[in-house]
Amino acid sequence: MSAYVIFIREHSYDPEELRIYSQKAPGGLAGHPVTPLAVYGTHEVIEGPAIEGAAILEFPSFEEAKVWYYSPAYQDAVQHRLRGGTYRGIIIEGVPAAASQS
């Protein structure tokens, strides 16, 4: 069953750290079965506090998402994202294909 990693950027405060992250993060995806679905594009907050942006990544399973997130390559990158801004990140399991068709 698919799983999704969702990152929400609430506030940026160190552009240099975010620049380093943006250089390192693609290398952290290498070798992982990930499909970027949305990456900091145009958005509209319809509930809750304003955000600066969001990203949604699709993985074949919850475990694959965790393997990617906790991989040494991504952990090397993520430290810069967390130094550069306030983020929320979650992994959420999708619904079975049959359930989404009803």
Side-chain angles (χ1 to χ4, degrees), residues 13-57:
Y13 43 79
D14 190 334
E16 179 60 18
E17 288 289 345
L18 294 176
R19 185 189 66 72
I20 294 168
Y21 171 75
S22 69
Q23 291 177 337
K24 290 186 169 208
L29 294 173
H32 294 277
V34 57
T35 302
L37 299 177
V39 183
Y40 300 99
T42 301
H43 69 276
E44 178 179 339
V45 175
I46 56 173
E47 293 184 17
I51 65 168
E52 290 182 357
I56 303 170
L57 308 175

Side-chain angles (χ1 to χ4, degrees), residues 7 13-14 17 20-21 25-27 41 44 46 60 65-66 69-70 73 85-87 91 93 97 101:
F7 292 119
Y13 43 79
D14 190 334
E17 288 289 345
I20 294 168
Y21 171 75
E44 178 179 339
I46 56 173
K66 287 176 62 175
Y69 183 82
Y70 293 108
T86 302
Y87 283 80
I91 300 173
E93 191 171 62
Q101 295 174 6

Side-chain angles (χ1 to χ4, degrees), residues 48-63:
I51 65 168
E52 290 182 357
I56 303 170
L57 308 175
E58 181 181 30
F59 290 84
S61 70
F62 197 89
E63 280 305 313

